[in-house]
Amino acid sequence: MEWKLERTARRRVRTEEEMLWENIMRVLAKDMKQKRSQGSSKVFDAVNTTYSNFKSNFVKRLSAEVPVASSPITTRWQQSPTRDPAGDSFEGEHSTTYLPEASTSVLKITPEKDTLILGSYKELLKTPIKGNFETNNSALHFCKAPHAPDRGRNENVASKGQKCLHELFLTQKVSQWVSGKMQLCEQCQCVWKGCRDEVRDESFHLKRFNGINYSILQPAVKFHLTGLRNDYYLNILDWNFQNLVAMALGSSVYIWNGENHNKIENIDLTLNCNYVSSVSWIKEGTCLAVGTSEGEVQLWDVVTKKLMRNMLGHLSVVGALSWNHYILSSGSRLGRVYHHDVRAAQHHVGTLHHQQAVCALKWSPDGRLLSSGCSDGLLTIWPRDPGAKAQVQPLKVVRQPTAVKAVDWCPWQSAVLAVGGGMKDGCLRILDINTGQTIQTPSTTSQICSLIWLPKTKEIASGQGTPKNDVTVWAYPGLARSGGFFGHRGRVLHLALSPDQTRVFSAAADGTACVWNCCE
């Protein structure tokens, strides 16, 4: 909730990245004071060099060269005469608000005569680090760069920068580590506390309204979850055409087979990340894209449980992923959307820029439009392959009252988009991109955390937050309530639809998950 609080609270609420920055600056300041002479009048100021000051000073130097979207395919040969070509990998990636992201040596800051260099890291951590956030004098080292251009020492400087960034992420990994677990509920034999107390076991039901009368149905399958992050801005559930459900719990991804209900397997990423922040299946096959808290985008073969590829570039949490055939789009909390061509060795083929955290990414069913939602309330519609030119403007920018996280395209109308409002809004909106028309429901008085379309019944299911914590079903296009799934005691953060379009998977912050037969 840090992004929500940062935007709405009256007093300043520090984010996780700002607190990390402050701890890093304290370690650097202490190290510099030990290295400099006692009589030196200039000492590195860790108090005044805040995270926001660092970002603004860096942007002042580079903001004049920022395009809206860029691609190395068409711009890699263009070099600015005032900048070092060896220092840039992605042109135009510098935001007006957030720390730039890149996949090679990109960041150079020069306090006094020394230079802190952050480069890409390629070697993954070999051992997991658990526990609370702690810093050590030996955890970070201040790297010195040459005072004059020296091409002969570039490799040495790059290696030092790589070591610094590696240790930066080493420090970040200590911040939190949560193990996850997904298990089936065995009804009367279940050992979970909620079922032993006979509270949640009997409360789960589905209501279908038909005038005054309604029918009550129990969920087909129930799960108990451990390690589910109560984070509104993550997308950690997906159901593919091979009837496999992927769900991220802590630093693991659990795979449930929708045909063989008793089979649950997991992919453990404990050695590579703090927690998994997003998952997305490729349309055909068993390749799963995984976004991590360290900014990595990984491709896994779930059959062999092998890591096929690790695509670097982001410097923050990858909270959203979306496939468009062989193009994988990833969005981070620093406002970057990268397009990866998974067939190519140089996978980065485009970049989109936002000023706030990207918490929703959805390609339309025909692959012609991309919708991106941000924590600043901007819903942006981009054309296909938006990074194919040096500068591409979005097709449409729609301002919403709250953060745009719950987004889904209509399966049978490719230009129709459903958007759910946040806590201060609570309205479900249907946007027609071609005509500009909008259909809106009255406020639900609760946060809409997730959305999916139900093609079989021409309906929309929305996962609600407090106080209802249910899944509401809306008839389309009138948007009248036609039913709902009840029983969760926490906000329903994630929804997924089965490949036969007859079942809905819902996961809530209270650690419960259900599979509902939505067409009965």
Side-chain angles (χ1 to χ4, degrees):
M1 287 296 295
E2 67 266 22
W3 299 99
K4 182 77 176 179
L5 292 173
E6 184 179 3
R7 192 179 70 255
T8 59
R10 293 191 178 185
R11 64 184 182 86
R12 176 68 175 173
V13 179
R14 295 182 301 167
T15 64
E16 178 182 347
E17 289 160 347
E18 289 176 318
M19 290 187 287
L20 173 64
W21 172 261
E22 293 174 2
N23 281 279
I24 293 173
M25 298 306 291
R26 292 192 189 100
V27 175
L28 292 176
K30 187 174 182 180
D31 187 55
M32 287 188 63
K33 289 177 182 179
Q34 293 176 352
K35 290 183 177 181
R36 293 188 176 184
S37 61
Q38 298 295 333
S40 176
S41 59
K42 295 182 179 180
V43 180
F44 186 70
D45 192 349
V47 178
N48 294 329
T49 309
T50 63
Y51 182 70
S52 58
N53 290 340
F54 157 70
K55 291 188 296 184
S56 61
N57 291 336
F58 187 83
V59 166
K60 288 179 181 178
R61 291 180 288 172
L62 300 175
S63 59
E65 303 181 34
V66 176
V68 177
S70 65
S71 168
I73 290 180
T74 57
T75 60
R76 67 178 62 179
W77 59 272
Q78 299 175 359
Q79 300 293 345
S80 173
T82 59
R83 297 173 63 184
D84 183 11
D88 296 338
S89 68
F90 300 160
E91 285 76 10
E93 295 185 25
H94 313 292
S95 170
T96 57
T97 304
Y98 281 87
L99 175 67
E101 300 178 3
S103 64
T104 58
S105 303
V106 275
L107 183 56
K108 297 183 179 181
I109 314 153
T110 309
E112 305 300 332
K113 295 183 180 180
D114 296 313
T115 301
L116 173 64
I117 301 178
L118 303 186
S120 65
Y121 65 107
K122 298 181 180 179
E123 296 295 331
L124 300 175
L125 295 177
K126 302 301 180 183
T127 56
I129 302 176
K130 307 179 183 180
N132 298 325
F133 190 95
E134 298 178 358
T135 56
N136 194 315
N137 289 340
S138 61
L140 291 173
H141 300 279
F142 198 82
C143 301
K144 294 185 178 181
H147 300 295
D150 187 355
R151 296 183 180 271
R153 300 179 61 185
N154 284 344
E155 294 183 358
N156 186 29
V157 173
S159 63
K160 291 182 178 180
Q162 180 176 343
K163 183 178 180 181
C164 278
L165 184 59
H166 185 82
E167 291 169 343
L168 170 64
F169 281 98
L170 176 66
T171 308
Q172 186 178 6
K173 287 177 66 65
V174 188
S175 60
Q176 50 186 338
W177 186 93
V178 180
S179 61
K181 187 176 182 181
M182 180 179 182
Q183 62 183 19
L184 284 167
C185 177
E186 300 177 355
Q187 303 297 334
C188 60
Q189 299 179 356
C190 186
V191 297
W192 193 54
K193 183 178 183 300
C195 290
R196 290 203 312 267
D197 297 340
E198 296 183 356
V199 175
R200 303 182 185 185
D201 186 49
E202 297 179 355
S203 63
F204 285 95
H205 60 279
L206 179 149
K207 287 185 179 181
R208 275 292 185 183
F209 298 101
N210 184 12
I212 299 177
N213 301 322
Y214 60 85
S215 59
I216 299 179
L217 300 173
Q218 292 291 326
V221 185
K222 288 187 294 183
F223 302 90
H224 304 314
L225 310 175
T226 303
L228 177 65
R229 296 183 66 84
N230 187 10
D231 193 330
Y232 175 77
Y233 299 97
L234 303 184
N235 297 270
I236 57 174
L237 175 66
D238 199 15
W239 202 334
N240 73 350
F241 287 97
Q242 281 68 41
N243 213 354
L244 298 177
V245 175
M247 186 162 195
L249 299 173
S251 57
S252 299
V253 179
Y254 284 80
I255 310 296
W256 175 70
N257 193 322
E259 295 180 358
N260 181 6
H261 290 185
N262 295 323
K263 188 175 183 181
I264 300 178
E265 299 181 354
N266 75 302
I267 299 174
D268 190 6
L269 281 75
T270 303
L271 299 179
N272 302 337
C273 71
N274 260 342
Y275 62 90
V276 177
S277 51
S278 55
V279 295
S280 181
W281 292 101
I282 195 170
K283 186 175 181 180
E284 297 178 357
T286 57
C287 176
L288 179 67
V290 177
T292 72
S293 57
E294 279 67 32
E296 300 176 357
V297 179
Q298 303 179 2
L299 300 181
W300 285 83
D301 185 343
V302 298
V303 176
T304 61
K305 294 185 179 180
K306 291 184 178 180
L307 176 61
M308 298 187 297
R309 190 167 190 181
N310 189 8
M311 298 180 291
L312 307 180
H314 292 292
L315 290 180
S316 59
V317 177
V318 180
L321 295 169
S322 184
W323 285 91
N324 186 7
H325 299 291
Y326 50 84
I327 298 295
L328 174 63
S329 301
S330 61
S332 76
R333 283 192 175 174
L334 291 183
R336 293 292 177 274
V337 176
Y338 290 161
H339 299 290
H340 312 270
D341 188 340
V342 298
R343 306 169 302 174
Q346 299 296 328
H347 57 86
H348 181 263
V349 294
T351 303
L352 302 178
H353 301 269
H354 295 278
Q355 293 187 356
Q356 295 291 334
V358 178
C359 46
L361 275 181
K362 287 284 184 178
W363 280 100
S364 61
D366 59 4
R368 299 176 60 185
L369 299 173
L370 173 66
S371 63
S372 58
C374 294
S375 59
D376 57 2
L378 292 182
L379 171 66
T380 308
I381 309 299
W382 300 90
R384 183 178 181 177
D385 297 334
K389 297 180 181 179
Q391 281 193 344
V392 174
Q393 295 295 331
L395 297 177
K396 187 181 291 292
V397 178
V398 182
R399 180 171 292 278
Q400 302 293 315
T402 55
V404 181
K405 191 264 182 178
V407 173
D408 197 21
W409 290 94
C410 178
W412 63 91
Q413 291 178 301
S414 58
V416 175
L417 184 67
V419 183
M423 189 174 298
K424 286 191 174 182
D425 179 33
C427 295
L428 172 63
R429 294 176 176 85
I430 309 298
L431 308 177
D432 191 325
I433 304 303
N434 291 334
T435 64
Q437 295 180 350
T438 301
I439 305 173
Q440 179 176 326
T441 65
S443 177
T444 61
T445 66
S446 61
Q447 184 184 48
I448 299 179
C449 305
S450 50
L451 280 176
I452 55 171
W453 289 81
L454 308 177
K456 289 279 187 181
T457 57
K458 294 293 190 293
E459 294 173 317
I460 309 170
S462 63
Q464 311 288 129
T466 55
K468 297 182 178 180
N469 297 324
D470 61 0
V471 180
T472 303
V473 179
W474 310 84
Y476 178 77
L479 297 184
R481 295 176 186 264
S482 58
F485 313 136
F486 302 90
H488 292 295
R489 301 300 177 91
R491 56 181 179 173
V492 183
L493 292 168
H494 311 288
L495 293 175
L497 184 66
S498 65
D500 60 3
Q501 303 174 352
T502 61
R503 293 174 293 169
V504 173
F505 194 110
S506 62
D510 62 345
T512 60
C514 295
V515 178
W516 308 87
N517 294 318
C518 58
C519 293
E520 295 187 12

